[in-house]
Amino acid sequence: MAVTELAWLKCASEAVTAESKEATNTALQVQDEWCARNAPTIPKGRADRGAAFFQQVEDPSVTLLAAHWESVEQHKTWMESTENQSIFPALSNHFQLEKTIFFHLDDVELFKKPEEEGAVSLLESPVISMGRLSIATENRRAFDQVWSEVKGIVEQFAKPNVLRSGWRIEKEDENKEEFVFACGWPSVERHEEFATAEDFQKYVSALSPFTRARDVKHYQRIL
C-alpha cells in the first residue's frame, strides 16, 4: 500500500540558500541511487516517485520534502541505511534537523501524475496549497463522506490543477486524526479568489462542524 512521506525542515538561515538547495539536491541524488539498488519496483525518475523539495511562501525558512514509498517499512529501511546517515552532516549545516516534523499519508501518492488529459500535477503547479485539518477520531468516517460530497467544489474551481488528499498515519493523539489535502494553483492570489466562488460557503459550512483546527500554507517547488 503506497504512502506519501511529508517532512518539514527548518532552515538554519532565514530562507533557502543556493548552498542549502545544493545540499538537498545531493541528498535526493543519494536517495535516488539507494532506491534504484534497494527498491527496484519504485519508479526510477525522481518526479515519478513523488520526490520533491518545496519552500513555504508564508515563511521562506520552512521547507517541505516529499516522496512516495511502497510502505512505511520501506521508508524506515531507507532512513536506517548508511547512505541516509551519510547525508546528515551536510544537511545539518543548513537545516535545524532537530526541529524536523515528518509523517506519512496513508494509501495515497499525493504527487502522482494525473491521468486526466490536460490536468496539471501538483509537481508542475507554480504553487500548491496544503491544508492540515484536525478531526476527532469518532468523526473520521462522517468527514470522509462530507469531503467526498464537497471536494468537487475545489476541484472545479482549481481546474486544470488537481486536488489530492489523505489521512496521516502516525498519530499525536489517539483521539485526533489529521486530514491533509493539497491543491495546485497558478498563484497564491488565485487560491485566495476561491473565497469568492459561488459554492465556497457551502464548502466551508460542510467541513467546519468536523474541524477542530485548520492550517493552510502555500509552497513552491524548488527541486
Side-chain angles (χ1 to χ4, degrees), residues 4-216:
T4 297
E5 166 203 358
L6 297 176
W8 283 265
L9 284 72
K10 181 76 171 178
C11 293
S13 57
E14 294 182 354
V16 175
T17 63
E19 292 78 14
S20 59
K21 183 177 177 180
E22 180 56 33
T24 304
N25 187 53
T26 298
L28 287 172
Q29 288 174 345
V30 173
Q31 189 182 81
D32 290 337
E33 294 165 1
W34 184 90
C35 287
R37 291 192 306 272
N38 298 281
T41 55
I42 285 182
K44 298 297 185 291
R46 188 180 294 180
D48 290 335
R49 65 183 187 86
F53 183 51
F54 300 86
Q55 183 173 26
Q56 191 183 112
V57 174
E58 289 81 1
D59 181 353
S61 71
V62 176
T63 65
L64 173 64
L65 269 173
H68 301 155
W69 300 93
E70 293 174 337
S71 64
V72 172
E73 290 72 25
Q74 184 185 62
H75 183 211
K76 184 178 178 181
T77 301
W78 151 252
M79 292 177 65
E80 295 174 347
S81 70
T82 56
E83 292 90 340
N84 184 46
Q85 300 301 316
S86 72
I87 65 180
F88 283 170
L91 289 177
S92 66
N93 291 329
H94 306 286
F95 300 96
Q96 302 176 55
L97 297 181
E98 71 280 2
K99 295 184 178 180
T100 299
I101 299 171
F102 89 94
F103 54 79
H104 302 88
L105 299 183
D106 191 26
D107 195 24
V108 62
E109 292 177 305
L110 204 69
F111 301 99
K112 186 176 181 179
K113 185 176 181 180
E115 297 179 358
E116 300 88 347
E117 185 176 353
V120 179
S121 72
L122 293 177
L123 293 185
E124 295 171 330
S125 298
V127 174
I128 67 169
S129 60
M130 183 168 288
R132 299 173 60 183
L133 306 182
S134 177
I135 310 293
T137 299
E138 65 268 22
N139 289 334
R140 174 169 171 164
R141 183 173 296 180
F143 178 87
D144 267 335
Q145 178 61 38
V146 171
W147 176 254
S148 69
E149 294 170 357
V150 301
K151 68 178 182 178
I153 296 172
V154 185
E155 290 173 327
Q156 186 62 35
F157 188 84
K159 281 185 177 180
N161 300 87
V162 300
L163 172 70
R164 295 275 171 77
S165 60
W167 289 97
R168 176 175 176 169
I169 295 176
E170 298 87 355
K171 293 186 180 182
E172 294 181 333
D173 182 338
E174 285 303 313
N175 297 312
K176 182 176 68 175
E177 303 274 358
E178 185 169 327
F179 182 77
V180 178
F181 61 96
C183 187
W185 303 96
S187 65
V188 174
E189 291 74 21
R190 178 57 178 166
H191 180 209
E192 292 173 343
E193 290 173 4
F194 178 51
T196 66
E198 181 179 354
D199 290 328
F200 176 75
Q201 287 304 322
K202 176 182 177 181
Y203 168 79
V204 172
S205 297
L207 300 182
S208 292
F210 301 97
T211 306
R212 286 182 169 182
R214 175 180 180 271
D215 178 74
V216 179

